[in-house]
Amino acid sequence: MSATLDARDEVNAKLPFWQTVSLSYSFYFQHLGDALRISWLWLLIFVPLAGATNWLQMSWFSEVIATMKPGEPPPPPAMPIAMTILGTASNLVMFLAGCSIAVAWHRLVLLDEHPGLSGGNIFSRNVWRYVGMGLAILLMGGLPAVAVVASVSLWTLPYAVDGGAPAMSAARPNPAVFILIPIVYLAACIIVMRLCCCFPGAQSAIHA
């Protein structure tokens, strides 16, 4: 799959938008069998885990609602250990599945490398390089955003002293919170999305 650039446009290195979108979708449908080959095993593992987790969460939430009494604050909910374990397992499987599928698909698109068995690349250095890059990009975009949001919240949200301990007051928070936090969130998203363009190229750099 490729989109042709004129020689004078190579300096800017900008792909024609609609042609790129069209080629992306046509390539996917032309290689639908490869997409299923890449993902079928992960789907067989993840779908039951996610279904069981959601069922436990809905059951737990229904019990919490049923125990609430009018005019009284709800008791601190205690999550069942099974729900915590299943939720953690499903999130881990989803993360590994996303990395495995993305690496296989990128290598098919860029190197014309047809995928092997679904999940067969999970122990390859390509996948774990992808994982490392993903975590690094999330930290690069997320940690500064969290630091800014926490600082803004501490400086602008109203606090009152209740028995010598700081507590949130009933006053309205400073409107600056609702302006700055979306701006910081948007900036973090833009940084992460721009850096994510490194992922496909990283896979074409390794042929093993």
Side-chain angles (χ1 to χ4, degrees):
M1 183 183 73
S2 62
T4 304
L5 292 173
D6 295 333
R8 62 178 178 273
D9 295 330
E10 290 182 356
V11 176
N12 296 327
K14 293 182 179 180
L15 295 174
F17 179 76
W18 291 113
Q19 183 183 357
T20 304
V21 172
S22 175
L23 284 172
S24 298
Y25 279 102
S26 63
F27 185 88
Y28 171 76
F29 286 109
Q30 290 169 6
H31 294 81
L32 186 59
D34 288 317
L36 294 174
R37 182 178 177 83
I38 291 169
S39 59
W40 70 268
L41 182 60
W42 291 113
L43 291 174
L44 286 180
I45 298 172
F46 175 72
V47 170
L49 275 175
T53 302
N54 290 334
W55 181 77
L56 287 175
Q57 287 175 341
M58 293 303 297
S59 300
W60 170 75
F61 186 70
S62 299
E63 292 178 2
V64 171
I65 295 297
T67 57
M68 293 178 63
K69 298 180 180 179
E72 296 183 6
M79 291 188 180
I81 185 64
M83 186 176 73
T84 303
I85 293 174
L86 277 177
T88 303
S90 62
N91 289 334
L92 179 61
V93 169
M94 181 174 63
F95 175 73
L96 293 177
C99 294
S100 172
I101 292 170
V103 168
W105 187 255
H106 289 160
R107 293 181 70 82
L108 172 64
V109 173
L110 297 174
L111 302 176
D112 197 25
E113 179 182 287
H114 289 275
L117 180 67
S118 178
N121 63 351
I122 192 61
F123 296 111
S124 68
R125 63 172 177 166
N126 297 323
V127 171
W128 291 103
R129 179 178 179 176
Y130 189 98
V131 169
M133 289 180 62
L135 293 176
I137 288 174
L138 287 177
L139 291 175
M140 290 169 63
L143 288 182
V146 170
V148 171
V149 169
S151 301
V152 169
S153 300
L154 290 174
W155 290 338
T156 58
L157 287 175
Y159 279 83
V161 176
D162 182 14
M168 291 298 299
S169 72
R172 293 182 178 179
N174 193 310
V177 174
F178 302 104
I179 298 173
L180 292 175
I181 289 180
I183 293 175
V184 173
Y185 179 78
L186 179 61
C189 290
I190 292 173
I191 292 172
V192 169
M193 287 188 290
R194 292 287 293 176
L195 291 174
C196 282
C197 295
C198 299
F199 282 161
Q203 302 315 310
S204 64
I206 300 179
H207 295 270

